C-alpha cells in the first residue's frame, strides 16, 4: 500500500514536527513507518510506501507556498507552478484538471488543501488529533494514530444499505475517522478543518443546457487518449532490477521474475474481449511511441504491448469474448498471453490474504484477479469504471421525464420489453420512472428506513425487475435480509438522522444522484481490489476513473446514454477517432454470461472453510448477524437456492476483513513509547444507542 499522511496543528510550533516526527497525546514523538518527509514544520507531510521517484513531485514558490502531487500527473513543472500561484487565492478546481490520477496537496502559509478525486478512487480521510487535524489517503493509519475502535453502525450500514450515502454519511469502519465525499477537498487552517466541494452540481430547477452528442463523444475521446498518453510518457520501470539475485541454473530472466512474483517490465493491458479493456489496449498499442516491454527484458518484444486475457476454465459463457480477444491480439503491436484459471481461481478459493484499508467483495475474488495480474506488466491498464461512467443508470429514465424528454424512453423501454417478452413492461417502467420523478429525496430515504424495520427485501428476478428496483432513491443492500433486527434498527435511525440533517435532499436529479453513488461504490471496491491483489512493483491504471475522463463522460447527454448499446458505440467512435477501425465481428455485444455459476461453484468447493469461518463469527459478536442464519444461507446458495450471491460475498468479505484486522500485530506509526494499533479493545457486542420508536416520523 501507498499513502500520504499529514498533520495541521492549531498553533505553529506546538506539534514539534520536523524530520523526527510529531508530538502525540502523551508527549511522545511519532512518525509514519517507512515514510519519506516531503516537508516539515509546522504542518508536515509524509509519503509512505513504495512510491516511485516519478510519482512524488514537489514544487515550492516561496517559503510559505508549495505543492506536492503524488501519483501519475501529466502537468509540467510550469503548469504546477501556475496552479500553485492560482491556488493562493483559494481556487481549487484547476488542481484537479490535469490528466492522470493523483492527489494534490497545497500549502499556503498555515492553510493546507488536500484535493480528493471525482470518482472516489483516491479518497482523503481525516480525524481530530492532538489539538489539530491529521489527514491521510488511507483510513487505517489514522485509526492507528488515534487508537480508534470499530464503528459498528458503519459496518451494519455497509451491509444493509451500501449504495445509500445517507446511511454511510462520511463515516468509515473506524470510529472517529471521517472521509471527504468525492468531488470535495479538505481545507485545514491552523488545525481547523473544512470540507468544500470544487465541482458544480446540476440544478433541479432548470434542465441542463443541450449538448451536441458528437462534441461530447469527441471530448471523451480526447480525455481518454490524453489519459493513456500520460501513462505512456511516464518513465519505464524494471521491477526488482536492484534486487535480482542473478543467474540461477536452469532458469532464464522470465522464470526468475515469475519465481519472485514480479510483473513483466514495461506496459501492458487487460484484454478480456469486452469494449472497455479492448479500447485501452488498442489505444496504448496504437499511440506513437514504444508502449510495450523494455528491450532485453520479459518477452524481448520491444514495442509490443503485453495483452493479458483470463480464460475461466471453471465456468462457461465467455467463449465468444475470449475468441474476440484472440482476434484483437492479432495486432502486430500486441503480445498476447492467455491465463487459464481452474478451481484454484474460483471465488472463495483463497480465504487468506493481506489486510486492506477497508472491507470489500474483492477479498473473496482476490485469487481470480491475482492469477491474471501476476502475468501482467509493471504498468497495467484495466478497463474498470467504464460501465459506471458511460452507461445510463436506470434511474436516469426519471431524469428524462423531469426534463420532458419522454420520447427518448422508447428505445430503452423497448429493449427491456424485448428481453422480457411481456407487453406490460412499457407501462410498468414508465409508471416507476414517473413515480420516482415525483418522489422527494427525503421521502425515498424514509421509505428505505421503513422497509428495513419491516424486513421487506424483495430480490429482483430479471433485467426488468432489476431496472424497476433501481428506479428509487434508495434500496436495501443484498445482505440486509441476514442482519439482526437490532442492526437494521440502527441503520434505520442513521437514515432518519441523515434526512433530518439533509433537509430538502441532495440537490440533484435522482438518476444523476444514483449514477454518482454507483461510481463512488465501484471506485471504493476497486481500491480494495488493488490492495487485496497487490503485486510488488506493479501499478494498475484505470484511465476511466481519471478526473478529466469522468468530467468528459458527465457531459454526455442522457438521451445518448439511455440508448441500448450506447457504451460500445461511444468507445467504437473513440477508437475510430484515434485511427482504429478494424474491430472483430460482435465487438461490444453484451455478454449474457454471469458470474453466478462460478460463484456457486466456489461456494460449493469452499463449503468447509466457510462453515468454519462462520462457526463463531466476529460479526455475530458485534450483534450484526446470527451465525446460524448465515450458515444456512451459505448452504442454500451452494445447493442452488435463488439467494442474492452479492449479499453473501459482502458478509464473507466483511468477516474476513475483521479477522485480518484483529490478527495484525504491527502499526503504521513508530516512536517513543510504541503506538498501539487500531481496535485495541477487539470486538464487543454493541446495542444501538437509540431504539426505534413507533409513531416516529418515517418509522411507522
Amino acid at each position: 500500500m501507498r499513502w500520504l499522511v499529514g498533520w495541521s496543528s492549531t498553533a505553529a510550533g506546538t506539534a514539534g514536527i520536523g524530520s523526527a516526527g510529531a508530538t502525540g497525546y502523551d508527549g511522545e514523538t511519532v512518525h509514519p513507518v517507512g515514510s519519506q518527509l516531503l516537508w516539515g514544520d509546522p504542518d508536515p507531510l509524509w509519503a509512505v510506501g513504495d512510491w516511485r521517484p516519478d510519482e512524488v513531485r514537489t514544487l515550492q514558490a516561496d517559503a510559505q507556498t508549495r505543492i506536492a502531487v503524488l501519483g501519475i500527473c501529466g502537468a509540467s513543472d510550469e503548469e504546477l507552478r501556475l496552479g500553485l500561484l492560482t491556488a493562493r487565492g483559494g481556487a481549487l478546481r484547476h488542481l484537479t484538471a490535469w490528466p492522470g490520477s493523483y492527489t494534490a496537496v497545497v500549502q499556503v502559509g498555515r492553510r493546507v488543501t488536500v484535493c480528493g478525486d471525482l470518482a472516489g478512487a483516491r479518497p482523503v480521510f481525516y480525524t481530530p488529533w492532538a489539538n489539530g487535524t491529521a489527514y491521510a489517503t488511507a483510513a487505517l493509519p489514522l485509526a492507528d494514530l488515534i487508537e480508534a475502535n470499530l464503528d459498528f453502525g458503519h459496518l451494519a450500514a455497509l451491509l444493509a444499505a451500501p449504495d445509500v450515502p445517507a446511511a454511510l454519511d462520511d463515516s468509515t469502519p473506524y470510529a472517529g475517522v471521517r472521509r471527504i465525499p468525492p468531488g470535495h477537498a479538505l481545507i485545514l487552517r491552523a488545525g481547523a478543518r473544512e470540507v468544500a466541494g470544487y465541482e458544480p452540481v446540476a440544478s433541479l430547477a432548470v434542465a441542463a443546457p443541450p449538448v451536441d452528442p458528437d462534441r461530447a463523444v469527441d471530448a471523451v475521446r480526447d480525455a481518454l487518449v490524453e489519459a493513456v498518453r500520460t501513462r505512456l510518457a511516464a518513465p519505464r520501470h524494471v521491477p526488482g532490477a536492484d534486487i535480482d539475485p542473478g543467474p540461477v541454473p536452469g532458469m532464464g530472466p522470465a522464470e526468475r521474475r515469475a519465481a519472485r512474483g514480479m510483473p513483466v517490465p514495461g506496459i501492458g493491458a487487460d484484454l478480456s474481449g469486452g469494449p472497455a479493456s479492448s479500447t485501452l489496449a488498442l489505444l496504448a498499442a496504437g499511440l506513437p511511441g514504444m508502449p510495450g516491454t523494455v528491450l532485453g527484458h520479459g518477452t524481448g518484444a520491444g514495442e509490443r504491448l503485453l495483452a493479458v486475457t483470463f480464460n475461466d476454465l471453471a465456468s462457461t459463457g465467455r467463449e465468444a469474448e475470449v475468441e474476440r480477444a484472440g482476434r484483437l491480439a492479432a495486432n502486430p503491436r500486441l503480445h498476447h498471453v492467455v491465463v487459464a484459471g481452474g478451481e484454484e481461481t474460483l471465488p472463495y478459493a483463497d480465504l487468506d490474504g493481506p489486510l486492506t484499508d477497508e472491507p470489500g467483495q474483492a477479498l473473496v475474488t482476490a485469487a481470480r484477479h491475482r492469477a491474471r495480474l501476476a502475468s501482467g506488466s509493471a504498468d497495467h491498464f484495466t478497463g474498470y469504471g467504464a460501465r459506471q461512467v458511460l452507461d445510463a443508470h436506470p434511474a436516469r429514465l426519471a431524469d428524462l421525464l423531469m426534463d420532458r424528454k419522454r420520447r427518448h424512453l422508447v428505445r430503452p423501454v423497448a429493449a427491456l420489453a424485448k428481453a422480457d417478452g411481456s407487453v406490460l413492461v412499457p407501462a410498468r417502467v414508465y409508471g416507476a420512472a414517473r413515480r420516482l420523478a415525483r418522489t422527494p429525496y427525503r421521502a425515498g430515504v424514509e421509505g428505505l428506513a421503513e422497509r428495513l424495520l419491516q424486513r421487506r427485501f424483495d430480490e429482483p428476478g430479471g433485467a426488468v425487475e432489476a431496472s424497476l428496483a433501481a428506479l428509487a432513491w434508495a434500496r436495501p443492500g443484498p445482505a440486509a435480509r441476514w442482519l439482526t433486527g437490532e442492526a437494521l434498527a440502527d441503520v434505520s435511525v442513521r437514515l432518519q438522522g441523515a434526512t433530518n440533517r439533509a433537509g430538502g435532499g441532495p440537490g440533484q436529479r435522482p438518476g444523476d444522484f444514483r449514477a454518482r453513488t454507483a461510481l463512488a461504490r465501484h471506485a471504493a471496491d476497486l481500491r480494495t481490489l488493488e490492495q487485496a491483489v497487490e503485486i510488488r512493483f506493479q501499478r494498475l491504471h484505470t484511465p476511466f476513473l481519471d478526473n478529466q475522463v469522468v468530467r468528459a463522460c458527465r457531459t454526455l447527454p442522457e438521451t445518448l446514454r439511455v440508448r441500448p448499446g450506447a457504451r460500445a458505440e461511444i468507445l467504437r467512435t473513440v477508437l475510430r477517432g484515434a485511427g482504429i477501425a478494424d474491430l472483430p465481428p460482435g465487438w461490444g455485444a453484451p455478454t449474457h454470461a454471469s458470474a453466478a455459476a462460478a460463484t456457486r461453484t466456489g461456494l460449493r468447493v469452499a463449503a468447509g472453510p466457510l462453515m468454519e469461518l462462520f462457526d463463531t463469527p466476529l460479526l455475530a459478536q458485534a450483534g450484526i448477524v446470527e451465525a446460524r442464519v448465515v450458515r444456512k444461507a451459505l448452504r442454500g446458495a451452494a445447493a442452488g437456492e435463488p439467494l442474492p450471491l452479492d449479499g453473501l460475498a459482502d458478509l464473507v468479505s466483511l468477516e474476513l476483513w475483521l479477522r485480518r484486522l484483529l490478527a495484525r500485530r504491527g502499526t503504521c506509526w513508530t516512536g517513543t513509547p510504541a503506538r498501539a494499533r487500531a481496535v485495541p479493545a477487539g470486538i464487543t457486542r454493541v446495542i444501538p444507542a437509540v431504539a426505534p420508536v413507533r409513531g416516529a416520523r418515517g418509522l411507522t
Side-chain angles (χ1 to χ4, degrees):
M1 289 176 59
R2 293 165 298 279
W3 63 83
L4 63 88
V5 60
W7 152 262
S8 178
S9 59
T10 54
T14 59
I17 303 172
S19 60
T23 302
Y25 292 115
D26 302 323
E28 75 277 20
T29 299
V30 296
H31 58 83
V33 175
S35 62
Q36 63 179 97
L37 186 69
L38 301 183
W39 60 64
D41 282 331
D43 304 314
L45 177 67
W46 293 274
V48 186
D50 60 335
W51 293 95
R52 294 172 175 173
D54 57 289
E55 291 177 332
V56 180
R57 299 170 62 189
T58 58
L59 189 145
Q60 185 167 343
D62 54 56
Q64 299 293 320
T65 309
R66 48 196 171 189
I67 184 173
V69 177
L70 290 89
I72 300 294
C73 180
S76 64
D77 289 345
E78 183 60 26
E79 289 173 325
L80 289 182
R81 185 178 298 277
L82 291 175
L84 177 58
L85 296 178
T86 306
R88 289 194 301 190
L92 297 179
R93 191 175 187 271
H94 69 284
L95 297 174
T96 68
W98 296 310
S101 177
Y102 57 89
T103 301
V105 184
V106 171
Q107 185 181 37
V108 180
R110 296 303 314 284
R111 187 184 73 207
V112 177
T113 302
V114 191
C115 297
D117 66 336
L118 289 176
R122 302 181 71 92
V124 178
F125 305 89
Y126 66 92
T127 186
W129 184 68
N131 299 320
T133 301
Y135 62 90
T137 53
L140 183 57
L142 299 182
D144 279 348
L145 184 64
I146 65 173
E147 303 174 17
N149 288 310
L150 289 170
D151 185 343
F152 295 100
H154 176 89
L155 298 181
L158 207 57
L159 295 173
D163 297 322
V164 184
L168 299 173
D169 198 20
D170 62 348
S171 62
T172 67
Y174 314 98
V177 179
R178 299 292 174 181
R179 173 202 320 268
I180 70 169
H184 287 67
L186 176 66
I187 304 174
L188 304 175
R189 294 180 176 89
R193 57 191 171 272
E194 173 191 357
V195 177
Y198 57 76
E199 201 72 4
V201 179
S203 172
L204 272 172
V206 293
V211 179
D212 180 34
D214 293 336
R215 294 184 61 184
V217 174
D218 289 344
V220 173
R221 180 200 63 208
D222 294 343
L224 202 55
V225 169
E226 189 62 27
V228 175
R229 183 180 286 118
T230 298
R231 270 85 172 182
L232 295 179
R236 304 300 164 84
H237 295 270
V238 179
D242 55 339
I243 61 172
D244 192 338
V248 177
M251 294 179 66
E255 287 80 7
R256 293 203 306 271
R257 175 198 60 78
R260 296 194 305 270
M262 294 183 182
V264 176
I267 296 180
D270 282 341
L271 187 63
S272 67
S277 64
S278 302
T279 298
L280 295 179
L282 293 174
L283 283 178
L287 290 176
M290 297 179 61
T293 57
V294 179
L295 283 171
H297 297 273
T299 63
E303 72 278 4
R304 296 173 68 191
L305 181 135
L306 179 65
V308 181
T309 300
F310 181 75
N311 186 14
D312 187 3
L313 302 180
S315 59
T316 59
R318 296 193 179 272
E319 292 80 2
E321 278 195 353
V322 175
E323 182 181 353
R324 281 196 294 270
R327 294 184 180 181
L328 289 167
N331 187 317
R333 301 196 73 181
L334 291 177
H335 175 72
H336 196 208
V337 173
V338 179
V339 178
E343 287 193 354
E344 71 281 358
T345 62
L346 284 170
Y348 306 98
D350 185 6
L351 300 183
D352 294 325
L355 172 66
T356 57
D357 195 41
E358 297 180 275
Q361 286 192 14
L363 298 184
V364 301
T365 58
R368 206 170 184 77
H369 298 287
R370 194 180 296 113
R372 179 185 84 251
L373 296 174
S375 298
S377 298
D379 290 276
H380 199 77
F381 284 97
T382 65
Y384 292 114
R387 184 186 304 273
Q388 284 69 28
V389 298
L390 292 174
D391 283 8
H393 192 281
R396 287 192 184 271
L397 298 180
D399 295 359
L400 292 176
L401 289 180
M402 296 176 70
D403 293 339
R404 301 181 181 276
K405 298 177 180 178
R406 296 178 178 84
R407 64 186 181 89
H408 294 286
L409 272 69
V410 174
R411 295 178 67 174
V413 171
L416 286 174
K418 181 179 180 181
D420 187 77
S422 172
V423 296
L424 301 178
V425 168
R428 296 175 63 195
V429 174
Y430 180 83
R434 190 166 179 264
R435 191 160 48 249
L436 175 58
R438 297 185 175 187
T439 301
Y441 170 75
R442 179 167 183 163
V445 175
E446 289 178 346
L448 174 60
E450 183 179 358
R451 286 187 63 181
L452 293 178
L453 284 180
Q454 296 181 359
R455 304 188 70 90
R456 291 192 284 112
F457 310 116
D458 300 327
E459 188 66 20
V464 174
E465 296 299 328
S467 298
L468 292 174
L471 283 165
W473 280 106
R475 59 189 302 264
R481 66 188 63 221
W482 295 300
L483 269 61
T484 62
E486 291 83 0
L488 292 175
D490 191 17
V491 177
S492 297
V493 171
R494 290 171 67 100
L495 290 169
Q496 188 65 25
T499 56
N500 290 334
R501 293 191 303 270
Q508 294 174 312
R509 285 170 165 75
D512 184 56
F513 176 74
R514 290 296 306 275
R516 292 174 186 245
T517 301
L519 175 60
R521 173 78 189 282
H522 178 77
D525 289 342
L526 174 62
R527 181 168 172 265
T528 302
L529 171 67
E530 289 179 323
Q531 298 168 6
V533 304
E534 185 176 23
I535 296 174
R536 194 178 184 190
F537 301 114
Q538 187 179 64
R539 297 291 188 271
L540 297 185
H541 298 283
T542 54
F544 284 104
L545 297 182
D546 286 6
N547 280 349
Q548 289 300 81
V549 177
V550 172
R551 284 194 178 101
C553 292
R554 285 180 177 175
T555 64
L556 293 170
E558 292 176 342
T559 55
L560 174 63
R561 288 179 182 271
V562 298
R563 298 176 187 172
R567 172 163 46 106
E569 188 57 36
I570 291 171
L571 294 179
R572 189 186 295 271
T573 305
V574 167
L575 290 175
R576 190 183 304 118
I580 303 170
D582 188 15
L583 298 174
W587 185 89
T591 176
H592 299 288
S594 172
T599 302
R600 290 190 187 278
T601 304
L603 282 170
R604 186 170 61 253
V605 172
L610 289 176
M611 290 299 109
E612 293 179 5
L613 183 68
F614 282 92
D615 187 22
T616 55
L618 297 176
L619 287 173
Q621 295 182 33
I624 297 178
V625 301
E626 292 185 12
R628 60 176 182 82
V629 174
V630 179
R631 290 196 298 268
K632 179 182 178 182
L634 289 171
R635 286 193 295 266
E641 294 183 15
L643 296 174
L645 301 180
D646 285 347
L648 290 174
D650 288 336
L651 286 171
V652 174
S653 60
L654 183 51
E655 178 67 22
L656 287 172
W657 181 81
L658 287 173
R659 288 177 180 265
R660 294 174 189 178
L661 178 65
L662 296 185
R664 71 190 285 253
R665 291 295 178 263
T667 177
C668 297
W669 297 81
T670 185
T672 306
R675 300 294 300 180
R677 64 183 186 276
V679 197
I683 299 290
T684 56
R685 182 176 176 83
V686 293
I687 304 297
V690 182
V693 179
R694 280 291 177 187
R697 179 180 176 86
L699 297 178
T700 56

